[in-house]
């Protein structure tokens, strides 16, 4: 996987065998550390089933995926899903930084817009100007309400009462402008309804004809497999993208989270 990048390949050619192996071991360890930051692949909490698939392009990833149980008994389950600009080690370091920031803010039991606004300020203050992150921040209540803030991420796919819609962003990516406000949207979900989050590694996957898979195809699959479990639907989405890509190699990290009301 290291040799897949031309610059990495050039650098490896100028390392001794032991130096190259040490570098590879460091990256493999970084990958295991990053995997440890992810939530369980399947969670059931407060009447919600939450599943995800997380597929780094290389050893580490710039995709961000987390689920945080509430600090208080009457709080909602917080979910976060996003994508750091860039790829590889630098993006994975910023992903870990965002994870730590969001976890800290989640413990304060803040309204969603304040979580995004504070995360945005921290990201602006502590990263280089050309780095940013798209981020969806949401909260699930035991009564079936979903609150959602979307900072420039791919539109989540909502299945509500058999109707499939795409939920547009409510603000710009974090890290671009230090003082931004984010709007929140709310939905009431019934048993069987679901929300699907994905990174552009899926929607922008290309086939041999240089066609993008596209969000419309994703929405079509979500509708066709709307009776599946969260875990089954997440796996199906990745499998369908892989089949569409055919002989074309992957060019980005691929992640998806499915949230289903049970």
């Amino acid at each position: 996987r290291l040799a897949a990048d031309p610059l990495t390949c050039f650098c490896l050619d100028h390392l001794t065998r032991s130096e190259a192996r040490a570098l590879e071991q460091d990256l493999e360890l970084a990958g295991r550390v990053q995997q440890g930051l992810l939530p369980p692949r399947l969670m059931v909490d407060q009447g919600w089933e939450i599943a995800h698939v997380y597929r780094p392009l290389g050893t580490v990833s710039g995709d961000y995926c987390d689920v945080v149980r509430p600090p208080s008994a009457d709080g909602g389950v917080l979910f976060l899903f996003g994508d750091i600009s860039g790829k590889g080690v630098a993006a994975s370091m910023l992903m870990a930084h965002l994870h730590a920031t969001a976890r800290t803010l989640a413990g304060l039991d803040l309204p969603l817009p304040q979580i995004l606004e504070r995360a945005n300020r921290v990201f602006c203050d502590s990263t280089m100007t050309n780095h940013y992150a798209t981020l969806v921040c949401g909260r699930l209540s035991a009564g079936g309400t979903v609150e959602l803030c979307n900072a420039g991420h791919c539109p989540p796919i909502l299945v509500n009462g058999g109707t499939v819609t795409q939920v547009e962003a409510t603000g710009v990516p974090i890290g671009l402008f230090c003082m931004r406000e984010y709007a929140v949207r709310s939905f009431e979900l019934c048993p069987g309804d679901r929300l699907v989050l994905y990174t552009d590694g899926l929607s922008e996957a290309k086939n041999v004809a240089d066609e993008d898979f596209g969000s419309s195809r994703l929405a079509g699959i979500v509708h066709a497999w709307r009776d599946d479990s969260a875990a089954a639907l997440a796996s199906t989405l990745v499998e369908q993208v892989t089949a569409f890509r055919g002989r074309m190699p992957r060019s980005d990290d691929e992640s998806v989270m499915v949230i289903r009301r049970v």
Side-chain angles (χ1 to χ4, degrees):
R1 284 187 289 184
L2 291 178
D5 179 77
L7 178 59
T8 302
C9 188
F10 175 82
C11 293
L12 289 175
D13 286 342
H14 290 76
L15 296 177
T16 66
R17 182 174 298 180
S18 61
E19 289 172 334
R21 181 55 187 157
L23 175 60
E24 189 165 6
Q25 288 175 338
D26 280 347
L27 285 174
E28 289 172 352
L29 177 58
R32 291 197 296 272
V33 169
Q34 187 176 59
Q35 289 291 323
L37 298 178
L38 297 174
R41 292 184 180 179
L42 177 63
M43 297 176 62
V44 179
D45 200 326
Q46 296 190 18
W48 299 95
E49 181 184 49
I50 308 169
H52 77 271
V53 174
Y54 190 85
R55 298 184 68 207
L57 176 63
T59 309
V60 290
S61 170
D63 287 356
Y64 172 48
C65 173
D66 201 9
V67 180
V68 185
R69 288 188 167 94
S72 58
D74 58 348
V77 177
L78 190 72
F79 62 92
L80 302 111
F81 192 86
D83 191 357
I84 308 295
S85 61
K87 297 180 179 66
V89 175
S92 72
M93 293 176 68
L94 290 175
M95 175 272 192
H97 172 49
L98 181 57
H99 177 276
T101 300
R103 280 273 170 164
T104 300
L105 294 172
L108 302 178
D109 205 19
L110 298 168
L112 295 184
Q114 288 189 30
I115 292 176
L116 274 183
E117 288 160 14
R118 294 190 186 193
N120 177 54
R121 287 198 294 271
V122 171
F123 215 71
C124 280
D125 291 342
S126 57
T127 60
M128 294 184 291
T129 54
N130 60 334
H131 286 113
Y132 61 90
T134 63
L135 179 63
V136 175
C137 180
R139 183 172 280 129
L140 310 169
S141 77
T145 301
V146 179
E147 293 181 296
L148 195 69
C149 284
N150 183 351
H153 193 69
C154 306
I157 300 168
L158 176 68
V159 180
N160 194 345
T163 301
V164 179
T165 56
Q166 298 187 49
V167 185
E168 296 298 329
T170 58
V172 299
I174 66 171
L176 291 179
F177 307 100
C178 287
M179 301 300 293
R180 302 299 293 185
E181 294 183 352
Y182 294 90
V184 62
R185 300 187 65 179
S186 297
F187 309 92
E188 297 294 329
L189 268 61
C190 298
D193 290 347
R194 62 198 61 210
L195 183 71
V196 178
L197 313 171
Y198 58 92
T199 56
D200 59 10
L202 275 75
S203 58
E204 296 180 3
K206 292 185 180 295
N207 62 12
V208 292
D210 200 35
E211 299 172 321
D212 284 353
F213 191 81
S215 60
S216 295
R217 280 193 178 93
L218 288 171
I221 294 168
V222 171
H223 182 263
W225 275 268
R226 61 189 179 277
D227 295 327
D228 279 7
S229 68
L233 178 56
S235 296
T236 296
L237 286 166
V238 173
E239 290 166 2
Q240 291 291 315
V241 170
T242 300
F244 172 84
R245 196 170 49 243
R247 300 190 305 273
M248 292 293 290
R250 285 175 58 196
S251 60
D252 202 353
D253 305 317
E254 296 178 348
S255 299
V256 59
M257 177 186 286
V258 178
I259 300 169
R260 175 176 171 266
R261 182 67 175 158
V262 296

